[in-house]
Amino acid sequence: MAIGDILYIMASFLFAYMTFVIIRGNFQRKFDENGERFDIKEKRESEEKKS
């Protein structure tokens, strides 16, 4: 295998790993520890305060 092939494979794995980490982080920021979405939870709480 040429050095270019090895670098290409390493770059591909690194790209896939970074993509996975970014997507996982985005989902973790949207949900709390109980699995509820923050935006829906805040909307529900503001509606309960109005009632």
Side-chain angles (χ1 to χ4, degrees), residues 1-2 9-11 16-18 21 26 28-30 40-42 44 51:
M1 274 171 80
I9 292 170
M10 288 175 53
Y17 177 75
M18 288 173 53
V21 169
N26 286 337
Q28 286 178 343
R29 282 195 302 269
K30 289 183 181 182
I40 295 175
K41 185 177 175 182
E42 291 171 355
R44 189 178 335 133
S51 299

Side-chain angles (χ1 to χ4, degrees), residues 1-34:
M1 274 171 80
I3 189 75
D5 293 339
I6 295 171
L7 290 176
Y8 179 77
I9 292 170
M10 288 175 53
S12 298
F13 279 116
L14 182 61
F15 177 76
Y17 177 75
M18 288 173 53
T19 303
F20 173 76
V21 169
I22 290 169
I23 292 172
R24 185 183 64 182
N26 286 337
F27 276 105
Q28 286 178 343
R29 282 195 302 269
K30 289 183 181 182
F31 295 93
D32 65 0
E33 62 275 353
N34 296 329

